Structure formats: C-alpha cells, structure tokens
Amino acid sequence: SPAVRLGDGDPMDISADSKWALSRLPGAPDQLALLPTGAGEPRQLTHSKVEHLDARWFPDGRIFSVGNESGHRERTYLIDLQGNESPLTPEGVRAICATSDSKTLLTSNDDYSRFQLFPLDGGAARPLSQLQKGDRPFDFTSDDQALLVRHSGPQGAGEIWRVELATPKRTLLRSISLSEVSSVTGRPYPISSRDGKNYAYRYVRKISAEYIIQGLP
C-alpha cells in the first residue's frame, strides 16, 4: 500500500505493538516525539537539555536514548511515556539494543571499539570477545542467543552476520551487492529483522555530469 506520512523528524524506531513511531525533532537541542501509526495526535515527548542522538523502544514499552548535555560525554538515558529522563549508564557508554526481556543492553564505548552486555539489574557489564574488527552489531536475534552484526564484505558488499554469544560461531545471513557500483557512493548499509527473515538497506547514489569547455585561452 502507499506510504503514509506520520509526522516530522528523523525516524528512530517503532514500538513493539506497532502503535507508535519514535521520532527525533531537530532543535537546539534535538528532542524526541511520539507519532501514532493510527488514530491519535503526535506529541513531543522530551523537553530537556539533552541532545538526543538516537533512541529505541525497549520491548516492554519503555524508551532508551543516547545523548548528552552540553559539556558532557554521550551516555544512555531511560525515558518513560511522560517524557521523564534519568541516566541509565555512565558517561561514555552508548546503548545499541535491548534483549527481548528488556533486562540487558548491548552497549559500546564512544568509538565503537569495545562492546559489552550491560545488565539493568545493577550487575557487572560483560565484555564481548566474539566480535571482530569492523563488526557493527545492531540488534539481538529473536532468541537473544546471538547478535545481528553489520560488516563490510568483499568488492563493496554489505553483509549481515549472526554472531553467537556463547560460542565463537558466526554465520553469514545476507550479502548485498549492488550492480550499479560505478554510480554508488559507499557500501550498502543493511539492517535485518530479529528473526532474519526480512531485511532492508540504504545506499547513496552519486549523480554527476561532465562538461566540455571550448575556446579557453
């Protein structure tokens, strides 16, 4: 069916019940908004000094956001549906995704060189040694036993891997290559559903024109 416009902002995530889309509104600083996918009115969710960079839903209906206040490093915040925010991680710890029981976050440091499983019950974070250089995990699998990981493949391909959390095993799920390589800037940027059955990707097409100039001295 045709696409339906929901509202303003940059799309962040859709709630588990598919009733709400989470949007980032440009501003000084950027804030978050809730956009109904059916009947209802959009509403701005946050009104704070936090510059919101990214945000996702927990499966249980709460929201976590990566952002920072002026003069501070990025960290992760917990946000309820009334827009109340509270720090969830120390500064320098960015959340990427949450397990299906909403009890554990996958986190990274500022430059994505170190990844950890961060329990929300106050336990110690567990470093992940299964990931390789260049891996960019973006979600857990449906069973929470593995991570879905984006990786650059050969000859400009964009790859999606399943990386097990309990073993060193990794399985290639998708390899996406574009035939129009000469007109594309960069590799495809793929993402997948948690069950691995659906995927999407974006890429940038480079459009240019050449001119011949005659009569120059």
Side-chain angles (χ1 to χ4, degrees):
S1 59
V4 177
R5 186 182 189 278
L6 298 182
D8 296 333
D10 299 323
M12 298 282 101
D13 201 5
I14 295 179
S15 60
D17 60 9
S18 299
K19 293 182 178 180
W20 294 95
L22 189 58
S23 171
R24 182 180 61 194
L25 298 176
D30 289 0
Q31 300 298 322
L32 299 177
L34 294 177
L35 308 177
T37 58
E41 293 294 326
R43 66 181 177 93
Q44 186 169 329
L45 180 63
T46 60
H47 300 79
S48 70
K49 297 180 180 180
V50 176
E51 176 80 20
H52 297 89
L53 306 174
D54 197 7
R56 293 188 67 171
W57 294 90
F58 279 106
D60 65 8
R62 296 175 298 165
I63 294 168
F64 65 88
S65 174
V66 175
N68 67 290
E69 294 188 69
S70 178
H72 293 267
R73 298 170 65 190
E74 297 170 10
R75 70 191 311 174
T76 306
Y77 296 84
L78 178 65
I79 305 174
D80 63 24
L81 295 184
Q82 284 70 51
N84 299 308
E85 299 180 66
S86 57
L88 197 55
T89 68
E91 290 188 19
V93 179
R94 301 170 51 99
I96 299 173
C97 54
T99 52
S100 57
D101 60 8
S102 301
K103 293 182 179 180
T104 303
L105 290 170
L106 171 67
T107 64
S108 75
N109 60 344
D110 299 272
D111 62 0
Y112 296 98
S113 63
R114 186 174 67 254
F115 298 92
Q116 296 180 313
L117 294 179
F118 189 94
L120 299 181
D121 62 2
R126 177 164 68 90
L128 292 175
S129 59
Q130 296 91 331
L131 297 174
Q132 300 177 359
K133 183 178 180 180
D135 281 347
R136 290 292 183 269
F138 59 86
D139 213 344
F140 289 94
T141 54
S142 299
D143 58 9
D144 292 331
Q145 299 302 304
L147 293 174
L148 294 168
V149 174
R150 188 182 302 110
H151 196 91
S152 297
Q155 299 179 337
E159 298 177 341
I160 298 175
W161 290 78
R162 176 187 169 110
V163 177
E164 305 297 329
L165 292 173
T167 71
K169 182 181 178 181
R170 44 193 296 136
T171 305
L172 179 62
L173 301 180
R174 304 277 182 184
S175 180
I176 302 165
S177 298
L178 301 178
S179 59
E180 48 181 333
V181 175
S182 60
S183 66
V184 170
T185 303
R187 299 171 183 269
Y189 185 89
I191 196 167
S192 169
S193 59
R194 288 193 170 199
D195 60 11
K197 295 180 179 179
N198 301 285
Y199 70 99
Y201 60 90
R202 71 172 186 259
Y203 62 93
V204 177
R205 178 178 291 155
K206 178 175 61 178
I207 304 297
S208 62
E210 295 182 359
Y211 298 88
I212 298 176
I213 302 175
Q214 298 177 330
L216 293 177

